Amino acid sequence: MTETKIVVITGASSGMGEATAKLLAKDGARLVLGARREERLKILKSEVEKLGGQAVYGMTDVTDVAQVEALAQLTMQTFGRIDVWINSAGIMPQSPLADKRIADWDNMIDINIKTLYGIGAALPYMNKQQAGQIINVSSVAGHIAHQNSAVYSATKFAVQAISESLRQEMAAAQNNVRVTVVAPGAVNTELLSSVTDPQVKAGMAQFYDSFAISADRVALTIKQAIDLPADAAWNEVIIRPTNQIG
Ligand code: NDP
């Protein structure tokens, strides 16, 4: 079903965003890839095309509303509609609050909660189309807070709240826009590279080495959420490694 869909992905340059682009490409999807690292996006575009999809990319910092709006405009100019907008961009520099890694706090709040800009960019077009789907990547940390996860969890709790309000607003508007939250547990991606506290990073790396699953599993979940008939929506999927406890 995804072959006819036009799908925008933020955070497309690595991890789950990249894996999702490659999986959807196999069905011939038309993709718009957003992230900051142009070289990675260029390579991904050619990989998508080899796999049978079409792709354009826009260098996009999700903290800059003009750049996110430009990604939506690029999509409209290239493909004429936006069927699915996936907000996957995010960082996870966890640390104890007492360490006051304030730059990390600010960056997480800015990047992870700026899922909002993606929603804002896509909605006017989806409203006009009377159809669409917003997929927000949250986390198990959007349900549970642990030591060191205060700010990261707070941003992911925020994504949960934003998504539920959005779902209710879309249903009230009767505009056929589906809202899906995908909340993964440990997934093997580049995310740990954003952790600045060496001790926390070492602990997380050990946990990830034991449990993390491939980003392909999350890509499959996203594809299944897209493929569901349009009159039904997975509003939230929690996907953990089978043996991950918390
Ligand atoms: P990666 O680090 O592999 O990917 C993160 C992506 O976000 C990259 O493409 C990066 O691209 C992009 N990104 C970061 N900052 C910005 C920014 N300011 N503007 C635009 N893009 C940005 O990690 P994951 O794939 O794991 O992360 C994807 C999402 O999944 C995140 O929201 C993360 O919180 C969430 N998640 C991850 C889990 C895991 O275990 N891996 C578990 C639960 C949730 P670039 O640097 O090129 O801009």
Coordinates of all heavy atoms in Angstrom, one line a residue, residues 1-2 5 20 23-24 27 133 135 178 180 182 216-230 232-234 237 239:
M1 N 0.8 -1.2 0.0 CA 0.0 0.0 0.0 C 0.9 1.3 0.0 O 0.5 2.3 -0.5 CB -0.9 0.0 1.2 CG -2.2 0.8 1.0 SD -3.2 0.6 2.5 CE -3.7 -1.1 2.3
T2 N 2.1 1.1 0.6 CA 2.9 2.3 0.7 C 3.5 2.8 -0.7 O 4.0 3.9 -0.8 CB 4.2 2.0 1.6 OG1 4.6 0.7 1.4 CG2 3.8 2.2 3.0
K5 N 2.2 6.1 -1.6 CA 2.3 7.1 -0.6 C 3.5 8.1 -0.7 O 4.6 7.7 -1.1 CB 2.3 6.5 0.8 CG 1.0 5.7 1.1 CD 0.2 6.3 2.2 CE -1.2 5.9 2.2 NZ -1.6 5.1 3.3
T20 N 13.5 3.2 7.9 CA 12.2 3.3 7.4 C 12.2 3.7 5.9 O 11.4 3.2 5.1 CB 11.4 4.3 8.3 OG1 11.4 3.9 9.6 CG2 9.9 4.5 7.8
L23 N 13.0 0.7 3.8 CA 11.9 -0.3 3.8 C 10.8 0.1 2.9 O 10.3 -0.6 2.0 CB 11.4 -0.6 5.2 CG 10.3 -1.7 5.3 CD1 10.9 -3.1 4.8 CD2 9.8 -1.9 6.7
L24 N 10.4 1.4 3.0 CA 9.3 1.9 2.2 C 9.7 2.0 0.7 O 8.9 1.8 -0.2 CB 8.9 3.3 2.7 CG 8.3 3.4 4.2 CD1 7.9 4.8 4.5 CD2 7.2 2.4 4.4
D27 N 8.8 -0.8 -1.6 CA 7.4 -0.7 -2.1 C 7.2 0.4 -3.2 O 6.1 0.7 -3.6 CB 6.4 -0.5 -1.0 CG 6.1 -1.8 -0.3 OD1 6.6 -2.9 -0.7 OD2 5.4 -1.7 0.7
Q133 N -1.4 11.2 7.7 CA -1.0 10.5 8.9 C 0.3 11.2 9.4 O 1.2 11.4 8.7 CB -0.7 9.0 8.5 CG -0.4 8.2 9.8 CD -0.3 6.7 9.5 OE1 -0.3 6.3 8.3 NE2 -0.3 5.9 10.5
I135 N 3.2 10.5 12.2 CA 3.8 9.5 13.0 C 4.9 10.1 13.8 O 5.9 10.6 13.3 CB 4.4 8.3 12.1 CG1 3.2 7.7 11.3 CG2 5.0 7.3 13.0 CD1 3.6 6.5 10.4
R178 N -4.8 10.6 10.6 CA -4.4 9.6 11.6 C -3.2 10.0 12.4 O -2.3 10.7 11.8 CB -4.1 8.2 10.9 CG -5.3 7.7 10.1 CD -5.1 6.3 9.7 NE -4.0 6.1 8.7 CZ -3.6 5.0 8.1 NH1 -4.1 3.8 8.6 NH2 -2.8 4.9 7.2
T180 N -0.2 8.5 15.0 CA 0.4 7.3 15.5 C 1.7 7.7 16.3 O 2.5 8.4 15.8 CB 0.8 6.4 14.3 OG1 -0.4 6.0 13.5 CG2 1.5 5.1 14.8
V182 N 5.0 5.9 17.8 CA 5.8 4.7 17.9 C 6.8 4.9 19.0 O 7.6 5.9 19.0 CB 6.5 4.4 16.6 CG1 7.4 3.2 16.7 CG2 5.5 4.2 15.5
D216 N 15.5 -2.0 11.8 CA 14.6 -2.6 10.8 C 13.2 -3.0 11.5 O 12.2 -3.0 10.8 CB 15.2 -3.8 10.2 CG 16.4 -3.5 9.3 OD1 16.5 -2.3 9.0 OD2 17.1 -4.4 8.9
R217 N 13.3 -3.4 12.8 CA 12.1 -3.8 13.5 C 11.1 -2.6 13.6 O 9.9 -2.7 13.5 CB 12.4 -4.4 14.8 CG 13.4 -5.5 14.9 CD 12.9 -6.7 14.2 NE 13.9 -7.8 14.2 CZ 14.8 -8.0 13.3 NH1 14.8 -7.3 12.2 NH2 15.7 -9.0 13.4
V218 N 11.7 -1.5 13.9 CA 10.9 -0.3 14.1 C 10.4 0.2 12.7 O 9.2 0.6 12.5 CB 11.6 0.9 14.8 CG1 10.8 2.1 14.9 CG2 12.2 0.4 16.1
A219 N 11.2 0.1 11.7 CA 10.8 0.4 10.3 C 9.6 -0.4 9.9 O 8.6 0.1 9.4 CB 11.9 0.2 9.4
L220 N 9.6 -1.7 10.3 CA 8.5 -2.6 9.9 C 7.2 -2.1 10.6 O 6.1 -2.1 10.1 CB 8.9 -4.0 10.3 CG 7.8 -5.1 9.9 CD1 7.6 -5.1 8.4 CD2 8.4 -6.5 10.4
T221 N 7.4 -1.8 11.9 CA 6.2 -1.3 12.7 C 5.6 0.0 12.0 O 4.4 0.1 11.9 CB 6.7 -1.0 14.1 OG1 7.3 -2.1 14.7 CG2 5.5 -0.5 15.0
I222 N 6.5 0.9 11.6 CA 6.0 2.1 11.0 C 5.3 1.8 9.7 O 4.2 2.3 9.4 CB 7.2 3.1 10.8 CG1 7.6 3.6 12.1 CG2 6.8 4.2 9.8 CD1 8.9 4.5 12.1
K223 N 5.9 0.9 8.9 CA 5.2 0.5 7.6 C 3.9 -0.1 7.9 O 2.9 0.2 7.2 CB 6.1 -0.5 6.9 CG 5.5 -1.0 5.6 CD 6.5 -1.8 4.8 CE 5.8 -2.9 3.9 NZ 4.6 -2.4 3.2
Q224 N 3.8 -1.0 8.9 CA 2.5 -1.6 9.2 C 1.5 -0.6 9.6 O 0.3 -0.7 9.3 CB 2.7 -2.7 10.3 CG 3.4 -3.9 9.7 CD 3.9 -4.9 10.8 OE1 4.0 -4.5 12.0 NE2 4.1 -6.2 10.4
A225 N 1.9 0.4 10.4 CA 1.0 1.5 10.8 C 0.5 2.3 9.6 O -0.7 2.7 9.5 CB 1.7 2.4 11.8
I226 N 1.3 2.4 8.6 CA 0.9 3.2 7.4 C 0.0 2.3 6.6 O -1.0 2.8 6.0 CB 2.2 3.5 6.6 CG1 3.1 4.6 7.3 CG2 1.8 4.1 5.2 CD1 4.4 4.8 6.6
D227 N 0.3 1.0 6.5 CA -0.5 0.1 5.7 C -1.9 -0.2 6.2 O -2.7 -0.7 5.4 CB 0.3 -1.2 5.5 CG 1.5 -1.1 4.5 OD1 1.5 0.0 3.8 OD2 2.3 -2.0 4.4
L228 N -2.2 0.1 7.4 CA -3.5 -0.2 8.0 C -4.5 0.6 7.1 O -4.2 1.7 6.7 CB -3.5 0.3 9.4 CG -4.6 -0.2 10.3 CD1 -4.5 -1.7 10.6 CD2 -4.6 0.5 11.6
P229 N -5.7 0.0 6.8 CA -6.7 0.8 6.1 C -7.0 2.1 6.7 O -7.0 2.3 8.0 CB -7.9 -0.1 6.1 CG -7.4 -1.5 6.3 CD -6.1 -1.3 7.1
A230 N -7.3 3.1 5.9 CA -7.3 4.5 6.4 C -8.4 4.9 7.4 O -8.3 5.9 8.0 CB -7.4 5.5 5.1
A232 N -8.8 3.3 10.1 CA -8.4 2.8 11.4 C -6.9 3.3 11.6 O -6.2 3.4 10.7 CB -8.5 1.3 11.5
A233 N -6.6 3.5 12.9 CA -5.2 4.0 13.2 C -4.6 3.3 14.4 O -5.4 3.1 15.4 CB -5.2 5.5 13.4
W234 N -3.4 2.9 14.3 CA -2.7 2.5 15.5 C -2.3 3.8 16.2 O -1.5 4.6 15.6 CB -1.4 1.8 15.2 CG -1.5 0.3 14.8 CD1 -2.7 -0.4 14.7 CD2 -0.5 -0.6 14.4 NE1 -2.4 -1.7 14.3 CE2 -1.1 -1.8 14.1 CE3 0.9 -0.4 14.2 CZ2 -0.4 -2.9 13.6 CZ3 1.6 -1.5 13.8 CH2 1.0 -2.8 13.5
V237 N 2.1 2.4 19.4 CA 2.7 1.1 19.4 C 4.0 1.2 20.3 O 4.8 2.1 20.1 CB 3.2 0.7 18.0 CG1 3.7 -0.8 18.1 CG2 2.1 0.8 17.0
I239 N 7.3 -0.8 21.1 CA 8.0 -1.9 20.6 C 9.3 -2.1 21.3 O 10.2 -1.2 21.2 CB 8.2 -1.9 19.0 CG1 9.2 -2.9 18.6 CG2 8.5 -0.5 18.5 CD1 9.3 -3.1 17.1

